Amino acid sequence: MSNDTTESPYQIPHELVALRQKSDEDCYRVSLSKAAQDAGIEKGSKVTVQLDLQETPPMIIIGSAPDDTELPGMEVRTFHQKVLVPNKDLEDLGIDLNSYDDTQEPFLFYPHVLEEMIALEPLGYASDVLDDQDADRDVEADEDATEADEPDVNEASEPATAVSPDDITATSNATGVSESELKQAVTTVTTTVDRDDLDDIRSDEFNPLLGDETEIVFVKPDKWTAMVGDALDRDEDLVEAVRLAFNRAARDVIGADRDYRRFEKSADAVVLRD
């Protein structure tokens, strides 16, 4: 059984997407946050997923659908950065799901972006696709190395975390966990937690909230501990520090909203990059 947190032997180019298997479940998905943004497909909107065998090569078509759409024989799903692809469609593309292991040999797609639509072109397994691309990139890297004089000081050294620096510092001071370790732990959680899985364990009392660049999902405390604990190898001090950091970040967004101010009595927050 595949696990999203297992490191793949391949470095997937940013322009391609890999078919991933949901942990402990026999279903498969692709992450399309960048492609969806370019296509104008918003998080939380309804999308249709269908295999078009008339195209050459065949394409998996993901398109926007009205919220009240009911289309017999067509998969309609809620888009949350990742989209589940029907097993039958994958088998029709020749992918053997019985032996599929995305951590060792992921299957890759190229997302063609259209208006409110993404067409996933199947490229093949990473070992076949990336051999040629890696060779091309090695040549380009050698050429770039001869032209590069100094690093770009304006280039960001790392992506921003989902929790503000002030909240990282305050939580570090309160728990004794170093800022660098806490920041890395927050990043680990926000990049490994699956948004679809959160829907299954979120609190019934509080709807998700959107910050400036974040989404906050409120989760039942016992489920939160199990989920984050898995991502952080059961380091209790680190798990508690991340919990406090997420809840601080949630309070920043909540402000004076009376409906949410007491959320910590019955829920904990998960903060994701929007």
Side-chain angles (χ1 to χ4, degrees):
M1 183 67 67
S2 161
N3 189 312
D4 283 346
T5 61
T6 303
E7 185 175 357
S8 169
Y10 296 99
Q11 184 69 35
I12 308 300
H14 67 86
E15 67 271 16
L16 305 183
V17 295
L19 179 68
R20 299 298 186 188
Q21 185 173 4
K22 289 192 68 173
S23 300
D24 302 323
E25 292 186 40
D26 186 25
C27 50
Y28 302 82
R29 65 204 173 177
V30 288
S31 178
L32 295 170
S33 54
K34 177 63 168 63
Q37 181 179 2
D38 293 341
I41 300 175
E42 298 180 353
K43 289 174 60 176
S45 63
K46 299 293 185 181
V47 295
T48 58
V49 182
Q50 59 180 322
L51 175 63
D52 188 348
L53 293 173
Q54 304 303 314
E55 292 285 343
T56 305
M59 299 272 191
I60 294 176
I61 308 298
I62 298 162
S64 293
D67 289 342
D68 58 352
T69 297
E70 293 184 6
L71 300 173
M74 185 179 295
E75 296 283 346
V76 179
R77 304 186 184 280
T78 301
F79 179 75
H80 286 301
Q81 297 183 332
K82 299 177 179 68
V83 173
L84 292 176
V85 181
N87 289 12
K88 183 180 184 304
D89 290 352
L90 298 173
E91 291 168 346
D92 287 344
L93 290 176
I95 301 174
D96 183 0
L97 299 182
N98 291 324
S99 61
Y100 186 71
D101 185 350
D102 67 325
T103 66
Q104 298 300 315
E105 186 69 287
F107 192 93
L108 303 181
F109 295 89
Y110 181 86
H112 295 271
V113 176
L114 305 170
E115 185 176 356
E116 296 190 340
M117 182 183 296
I118 302 167
L120 292 178
E121 176 185 351
L123 300 180
Y125 290 96
S127 60
D128 298 324
V129 175
L130 298 183
D131 283 346
D132 294 337
Q133 291 195 0
D134 286 342
D136 293 340
R137 282 199 295 275
D138 288 343
V139 172
E140 293 172 359
D142 290 340
E143 293 174 350
D144 291 342
T146 62
E147 299 175 0
D149 296 321
E150 296 181 359
D152 184 356
V153 296
N154 294 320
E155 184 176 350
S157 58
E158 60 183 16
T161 60
V163 176
S164 73
D166 287 345
D167 287 334
I168 291 287
T169 299
T171 305
S172 174
N173 292 338
T175 62
V177 174
S178 71
E179 290 189 32
S180 60
E181 188 178 12
L182 177 55
K183 188 175 181 180
Q184 180 58 50
V186 166
T187 300
T188 296
V189 173
T190 56
T191 55
T192 57
V193 167
D194 184 85
R195 179 62 178 80
D196 291 333
D197 291 341
L198 289 181
D199 283 338
D200 296 332
I201 62 174
R202 71 180 181 87
S203 169
D204 296 330
E205 296 180 57
F206 305 103
N207 291 323
L209 293 177
L210 292 179
D212 290 338
E213 295 182 348
T214 57
E215 180 182 18
I216 300 170
V217 181
F218 298 93
V219 175
K220 301 169 186 177
D222 58 330
K223 301 294 186 181
W224 189 99
T225 300
M227 176 188 63
V228 176
D230 286 342
L232 298 179
D233 297 327
R234 298 293 174 182
D235 185 321
E236 293 183 1
D237 291 339
L238 205 51
V239 169
E240 177 64 9
V242 171
R243 184 185 71 82
L244 293 175
F246 278 169
N247 286 349
R248 281 181 181 273
R251 290 198 298 271
D252 291 343
V253 174
I254 290 168
D257 190 325
R258 292 178 178 274
D259 292 336
Y260 285 84
R261 287 181 65 182
R262 298 183 181 274
F263 79 89
E264 288 170 272
K265 289 189 173 183
S266 59
D268 284 312
V270 178
V271 184
L272 304 173
R273 297 292 296 177
D274 189 17

